[in-house]
Amino acid sequence: MYRVLITDGMEAKAVEKLRSLGYEVVEQYYEPEVLGEVLQEFDVLVVRSATKVRKNIIDKALEKPRLKLIIRGGVGVDNIDVAYAMERGIKVTNTPNASSASVAELALAHMFALARFVNISNVTMRDGKWEKKKYEGIELAGKTLGLIGFGRIARELAKKASALGMKVVYYDIVGKIEGYDCCEYCSFEDVLKRADFLSLHIPLDKQKGTIIGKDEIALMKEGAYLINCARGGVVCEEALLEALNSGKLAGAGIDVFVEEPTKNEALLSHRNVSVTPHIGAQTIEAQTRIGEEIVNIIDDFFRNSVI
């Protein structure tokens, strides 16, 4: 019987489905110092964001080579040393389709929150303040949405923003994407310069590190907004805070942080920041789709592989 370890949780019906297909499923989080040894007794590891699968864990697991498949329930795989795992004969995959709509909707929610002061007025009203005259916002219609990265999530956001009457410009390392004539492909610098709202949809490259820092923010419009529902490390939090304090940026919507849970109180408490605790994929619908996709990946892998 193939054994599956789920360390960061999975939708209950998906777990039940795996068991009904004959897999032994264990749902348990393990600290890094013991995870590698535990994995010696499993064929599959399913993680989300909390579990980090680094070289030392992979090496320890393969002292008794049973682990064959690692699945990241979600889009990014930066918490896994993918290339090293693949070199050691472990397949690594993710669920790129399942959470696109949910993350796109959260990015849009942050845009609305900032444009209409939903974030800060929620706080001040609960403090007994009625600051109506302070909260003269803006409409999203007619504004330019700039997208850095134009994968599945960004394309979902582009469709929703276009429906609201926003102009969409984008940059992607692969160039212009066919079939999206309603959106304008631009250079990286032009997207920064033109965007009223800049939304990031790029993975964290550990070698490149920060993508949006002081120099990139300097290229942006005065009073623009930055939205990051991608990965915390792609934005320099120090440069972002400086831009918010100076007024260079009017606001920021942040779902992801360099360190999670974040200890950056200055950013969390800033009146021009809308924050959420990495909940991009945390919808009932997305979790259901992620669970279904994980079940299919596991079952297809063992049905079609010669082990």
Side-chain angles (χ1 to χ4, degrees), residues 207-229:
Q207 293 183 333
K208 293 181 180 178
T210 298
I211 302 299
I212 302 296
K214 189 172 184 178
D215 292 342
E216 290 74 25
I217 291 173
L219 292 175
M220 295 174 65
K221 285 183 178 181
E222 294 290 325
Y225 298 83
L226 177 67
I227 310 296
N228 186 12
C229 294

Side-chain angles (χ1 to χ4, degrees), residues 34 43 45 47 62 98 121 125 137 148 158 162 164 167 185 204 241:
V34 299
D43 304 280
L45 171 63
V47 303
L62 292 181
S121 63
M125 283 193 70
I148 301 298
S162 296
L164 291 169
K167 179 178 177 61
Y185 174 74
L204 175 61
L241 189 59

Side-chain angles (χ1 to χ4, degrees), residues 159-215:
K159 287 188 281 187
K160 298 175 193 304
S162 296
L164 291 169
M166 299 186 79
K167 179 178 177 61
V168 180
V169 298
Y170 72 94
Y171 168 78
D172 194 281
I173 58 172
V174 303
K176 184 176 180 179
I177 308 297
E178 297 300 323
Y180 288 86
D181 295 335
C182 61
C183 307
E184 182 182 353
Y185 174 74
C186 302
S187 69
F188 177 76
E189 291 78 11
D190 281 345
V191 172
L192 296 180
K193 292 175 182 177
R194 293 174 60 180
D196 297 300
F197 289 83
L198 181 72
S199 188
L200 308 177
H201 300 281
I202 46 180
L204 175 61
D205 187 321
K206 294 175 186 175
Q207 293 183 333
K208 293 181 180 178
T210 298
I211 302 299
I212 302 296
K214 189 172 184 178
D215 292 342

Side-chain angles (χ1 to χ4, degrees), residues 5-6 13-14 16 31 37 69 112 118 124 130 154 161 218 249 257 270 277 301 305:
L5 175 63
I6 300 170
K13 288 184 179 178
E16 292 174 9
E31 295 295 338
E37 186 173 354
L69 176 64
F112 274 117
V118 176
T124 56
W130 187 268
L249 295 182
F257 300 84
H270 201 288
F301 179 83
S305 297

Side-chain angles (χ1 to χ4, degrees), residues 30-105:
Y30 289 96
E31 295 295 338
E33 55 268 24
V34 299
L35 179 60
E37 186 173 354
V38 169
L39 287 173
Q40 295 174 11
E41 304 301 326
F42 286 90
D43 304 280
V44 182
L45 171 63
V46 179
V47 303
R48 293 292 302 277
S49 299
T51 298
K52 315 298 185 212
V53 189
R54 301 306 181 200
K55 290 182 179 180
N56 62 316
I57 292 174
I58 294 167
D59 286 339
K60 188 66 178 178
L62 292 181
E63 288 180 8
K64 182 180 176 183
R66 179 170 180 174
L67 185 65
K68 306 172 185 70
L69 176 64
I70 301 173
I71 304 172
R72 160 71 162 94
V75 180
V77 290
D78 48 276
N79 56 321
I80 304 169
D81 285 340
V82 177
Y84 187 73
M86 300 284 274
E87 287 173 8
R88 299 298 306 273
I90 302 170
K91 181 177 180 179
V92 180
T93 188
N94 60 353
T95 59
N97 301 308
S99 56
S100 299
S102 296
V103 179
E105 286 189 6

Side-chain angles (χ1 to χ4, degrees), residues 48-50 72 103 106-107 109-110 228-232 237 253-263 267-268 273-283 287:
R48 293 292 302 277
S49 299
R72 160 71 162 94
V103 179
L106 181 63
H110 279 298
N228 186 12
C229 294
R231 282 291 181 268
E237 292 182 355
I254 311 171
D255 185 49
V256 289
F257 300 84
V258 172
E259 180 184 8
E260 296 184 356
T262 183
K263 296 181 179 68
L267 205 54
L268 287 176
V273 173
S274 173
V275 289
T276 46
H278 204 151
I279 60 170
Q282 289 296 107
T283 64
Q287 292 305 305

Side-chain angles (χ1 to χ4, degrees), residues 103-169:
V103 179
E105 286 189 6
L106 181 63
L108 193 59
H110 279 298
M111 291 164 61
F112 274 117
L114 294 166
R116 298 308 305 273
F117 296 98
V118 176
N119 59 320
I120 190 63
S121 63
N122 248 270
V123 175
T124 56
M125 283 193 70
R126 293 169 197 270
D127 288 339
K129 299 175 183 178
W130 187 268
E131 299 182 327
K132 178 178 179 179
K133 292 185 179 179
K134 289 181 67 174
Y135 301 138
E136 183 179 27
I138 61 172
E139 296 176 359
L140 297 187
K143 303 300 186 296
T144 297
L145 170 63
L147 300 170
I148 301 298
F150 202 62
R152 295 175 179 87
I153 296 170
R155 295 174 201 180
E156 283 286 336
L157 180 55
K159 287 188 281 187
K160 298 175 193 304
S162 296
L164 291 169
M166 299 186 79
K167 179 178 177 61
V168 180
V169 298

